[in-house]
Amino acid sequence: DVVWTGPGSTLWHAEGSGSGVPFDTGNPSANDTALFDEATSACGWRSSSTASCEATSVSALDAAMSGEGLIPTALPGDFWSLPYDQQLIVLANGDRTARNLTALVGPDATLDGYATTGANDQADPVDPAGAYWWTANWTEGPNSVAAEIMWVYDDGLGSGNVDCTPSSTSGCWIHREDILHPWTNTAYFGGACASPANSAWLACAEIFVQEDA
């Protein structure tokens, strides 16, 4: 029974792999593909740090949250100058706390490393040394806010979620469920975005690991 050491002396069991227990996140009954179109309307098919791109992405996120009866995340004034791991945890915790879920702890430097590998590989981050309670996401888009929209609000049928198809719906909203998982113990976060040579967009990845009881 190996043990993975996180921040300080926090320990996670390493018994096989897994991403927690399925639960009801109040997933939308239908996917709103217009949200991602709105989020990227001023960005073009590329990574973009222009003010107009950032503004349209934030506007789309605000509309998505308001559409579910939530108070939109109040982004810090320096949000766009923060490192990507900090941007991603601000967004994840904004979606979590708006639903009265416990905030994630982080960013954790070790988990950031796993997320960085995932972003560079354009793939989900891998099992952190066999941690038992964990899950992970990745996607591509013009910025971190667009990534959050894809994961939480544009993840059902008709979205870019390749695990969600009319013939196989088990993967629908799975990225949303990762972000909104109701962890029973402290959950730590790692995140990263990278610029792959084969894509004009940012590849963003994040990983969540629950502290052992």
Side-chain angles (χ1 to χ4, degrees):
D1 187 21
V2 183
V3 174
W4 181 72
T5 304
S9 59
T10 305
L11 303 179
W12 287 268
H13 277 306
E15 300 172 341
S17 63
S19 56
V21 178
F23 69 104
D24 181 8
T25 57
N27 294 334
S29 58
N31 194 66
D32 186 355
T33 56
L35 284 172
F36 181 69
D37 293 339
E38 179 185 348
T40 60
S41 61
C43 304
W45 288 87
R46 64 187 186 283
S47 170
S48 177
S49 59
T50 64
S52 58
C53 172
E54 294 168 354
T56 55
S57 295
V58 172
S59 176
L61 178 61
D62 289 351
M65 297 186 74
S66 296
E68 292 192 17
L70 304 171
I71 298 175
T73 300
L75 299 179
D78 62 346
F79 175 81
W80 293 107
S81 64
L82 296 174
Y84 286 124
D85 60 343
Q86 294 183 33
Q87 291 183 24
L88 290 170
I89 195 172
V90 165
L91 295 165
N93 277 339
D95 271 315
R96 289 182 62 81
T97 57
R99 296 169 173 82
N100 296 316
L101 294 168
T102 304
L104 303 161
V105 176
D108 172 67
T110 300
L111 296 181
D112 277 356
Y114 285 96
T116 298
T117 298
N120 285 324
D121 291 345
Q122 295 167 284
D124 288 339
V126 299
D127 181 351
Y132 188 73
W133 296 109
W134 72 282
T135 193
N137 293 329
W138 89 278
T139 193
E140 291 187 352
N143 55 51
S144 60
V145 174
E148 184 75 4
I149 290 171
M150 283 186 280
W151 283 326
V152 181
Y153 301 98
D154 187 21
D155 200 40
L157 285 172
S159 72
N161 180 356
V162 297
D163 296 317
C164 177
T165 66
S167 60
S168 179
T169 59
S170 61
C172 297
W173 302 107
I174 194 170
H175 304 93
R176 174 186 174 102
E177 292 170 359
D178 288 345
I179 291 173
L180 302 181
H181 192 90
W183 304 101
T184 56
N185 296 313
T186 302
Y188 290 83
F189 174 93
C193 295
S195 299
N198 65 347
S199 176
W201 273 356
L202 282 178
C204 294
E206 56 188 8
I207 185 168
F208 313 85
V209 178
Q210 179 177 269
E211 180 179 6
D212 191 21

